[in-house]
Amino acid sequence: MRAWLAIVAGVALGVGVAWWLARESPDAGSRKQARADQAAAAQARDARPSLYRWRDDAGVLQITEQPPKDRRFERIDREVPAGIRVSGDAATAAD
């Protein structure tokens, strides 16, 4: 009977130690959240449409959707308007 009690106590103690070692500290949780927020912000920044402003060999200002490979450029973020914008002729009244 004592062997059975020792086995149950050992398993319970093992489960308790495993739980204690596997839990996250509050500091580790906040660091993980900060990394996730930083990654989400970088992904959102990269997902926005961008234009690239640079000058060619003749000094002419160029604005393109692809950055130049061999020169300095400035990235310009384009803000996409929210919702649907409809433009064109006004609809005529139906009969």
Side-chain angles (χ1 to χ4, degrees):
M1 184 71 170
R2 289 183 183 160
W4 179 81
L5 186 59
I7 292 172
V8 170
V11 168
L13 182 65
V15 168
V17 169
W19 171 80
W20 182 262
L21 294 176
R23 67 183 179 85
E24 280 189 356
S25 68
D27 188 39
S30 64
R31 284 193 312 260
K32 184 187 283 187
Q33 183 63 40
R35 283 193 312 266
D37 292 343
Q38 185 179 19
Q43 186 177 15
R45 183 180 63 243
D46 291 341
R48 287 193 310 251
S50 297
L51 292 175
Y52 300 92
R53 180 176 20 202
W54 51 279
R55 295 204 178 262
D56 62 10
D57 292 334
V60 177
L61 178 66
Q62 301 289 329
I63 298 177
T64 60
E65 292 182 351
Q66 298 296 323
K69 291 183 173 69
D70 58 346
R71 61 187 71 240
R72 292 182 18 187
F73 60 88
E74 179 185 356
R75 181 178 176 168
I76 305 168
D77 288 331
R78 293 189 290 179
E79 292 296 323
V80 178
I84 299 173
R85 184 176 61 180
V86 178
S87 62
D89 296 337
T92 59
D95 290 330

